[in-house]
Amino acid sequence: TQLLEQSPQFLSIQEGENLTVYCNSSSVFSSLQWYRQEPGEGPVLLVTVVTGGEVKKLKRLTFQFGDARKDSSLHITAAQPGDTGLYLCAGAMITGNQFYFGTGTSLTVIP
Amino acid sequence: DAGITQSPRYKITETGRQVTLMCHQTWSHSYMFWYRQDLGHGLRLIYYSAAADITDKGEVPDGYVVSRSKTENFPLTLESATRSQTSVYFCASSEGGPPYEQYFGPGTRLTVT
């Protein structure tokens, strides 16, 4: 059982559409991060959110941390083919030093 | 400016053999991590290290050994490789503790036959 569940697992959309990816847990996290991974490469950090309710924007990407710090979402506006990749949420537990990754969402943006 | 490197990039070994995966970072980051990535399981933490000579278990440590005698190196050893250890292994480093903003290496694809 994964501590961080992402949905959807796969997403295929047309260029220009909007989408939202969800990251959910029953546990509380001190912070959550989003990474993007391309085939054959390691994940690359996109953003870190640390405060419940926090919203961060990175160009067309909007990240939100849930008020209870158990969930997060990633919204992409007007998706482009360059957004294609595996999106991973990850977080540090509020107790201890364990760090967990989510199950991942594979996004394909069709030109 | 190499950043974080892993070697080898690809490795095929036989069941029962010992194999060591190398990880080197040039940033002098305190924290280093080893993950394995498998279809259906995502990335899972094997071991991490907060500083030289300080290591701790992650989610899936069984069958693996780590050491960290120098800040910049964090080798991962499979003492007696099993087919279930066939995976892609990623090393990462982080300048500080929580929230552990990590920089990943390119990965090592290990196949155990």
Side-chain angles (χ1 to χ4, degrees), chain A residues 50-99:
Chain A
V50 296
T51 305
E54 182 177 3
V55 176
K56 279 192 175 179
K57 293 190 175 182
L58 186 67
K59 296 184 180 178
R60 294 177 292 101
L61 279 61
T62 301
F63 305 86
Q64 184 162 9
F65 199 9
D67 291 340
R69 292 189 294 176
K70 293 182 178 181
D71 55 85
S72 180
S73 64
L74 159 60
H75 182 79
I76 300 179
T77 303
Q80 298 177 1
D83 296 327
T84 293
L86 179 68
Y87 288 82
L88 297 158
C89 66
M93 294 288 295
I94 202 160
T95 55
N97 289 325
Q98 291 295 323
F99 194 84

Side-chain angles (χ1 to χ4, degrees), chain B:
Chain B
D1 185 5
I4 183 164
T5 57
Q6 294 183 235
S7 61
R9 293 294 314 276
Y10 303 91
K11 177 73 176 179
I12 299 174
T13 191
E14 295 177 343
T15 300
R17 289 194 179 268
Q18 182 180 82
V19 60
T20 296
L21 309 184
M22 304 301 293
C23 178
H24 176 78
Q25 53 108 352
T26 59
W27 296 306
S28 298
H29 283 175
S30 298
Y31 283 81
M32 296 188 74
F33 307 80
W34 273 107
Y35 295 89
R36 59 178 292 174
Q37 186 171 33
D38 306 286
L39 283 174
H41 291 283
L43 279 154
R44 290 179 292 174
L45 182 63
I46 304 171
Y47 270 96
Y48 66 98
S49 169
D53 298 322
I54 300 175
T55 62
D56 209 344
K57 295 178 181 179
E59 187 182 356
V60 289
D62 293 344
Y64 303 95
V65 174
V66 294
S67 62
R68 195 165 176 208
S69 57
K70 293 184 177 181
T71 300
E72 61 266 30
N73 297 322
F74 191 38
L76 176 74
T77 298
L78 288 67
E79 293 188 300
S80 179
T82 65
R83 289 198 181 91
S84 65
Q85 292 177 310
T86 292
S87 186
V88 180
Y89 290 85
F90 287 99
C91 178
S93 70
S94 171
E95 187 174 10
Y100 303 114
E101 296 185 327
Q102 297 171 57
Y103 295 85
F104 281 80
T108 294
R109 182 173 293 275
L110 176 68
T111 301
V112 183
T113 61

Side-chain angles (χ1 to χ4, degrees), chain A residues 12-71:
Chain A
S12 182
I13 62 171
Q14 293 290 330
E15 182 176 359
E17 292 183 349
N18 301 332
L19 67 113
T20 301
V21 177
Y22 299 93
C23 174
N24 295 293
S25 178
S26 58
S27 301
V28 178
F29 287 82
S30 61
S31 63
L32 274 180
Q33 298 169 354
W34 286 91
Y35 291 79
R36 188 174 87 186
Q37 184 179 22
E38 299 192 17
E41 299 181 7
V44 175
L45 178 65
L46 296 175
V47 78
T48 299
V49 285
V50 296
T51 305
E54 182 177 3
V55 176
K56 279 192 175 179
K57 293 190 175 182
L58 186 67
K59 296 184 180 178
R60 294 177 292 101
L61 279 61
T62 301
F63 305 86
Q64 184 162 9
F65 199 9
D67 291 340
R69 292 189 294 176
K70 293 182 178 181
D71 55 85

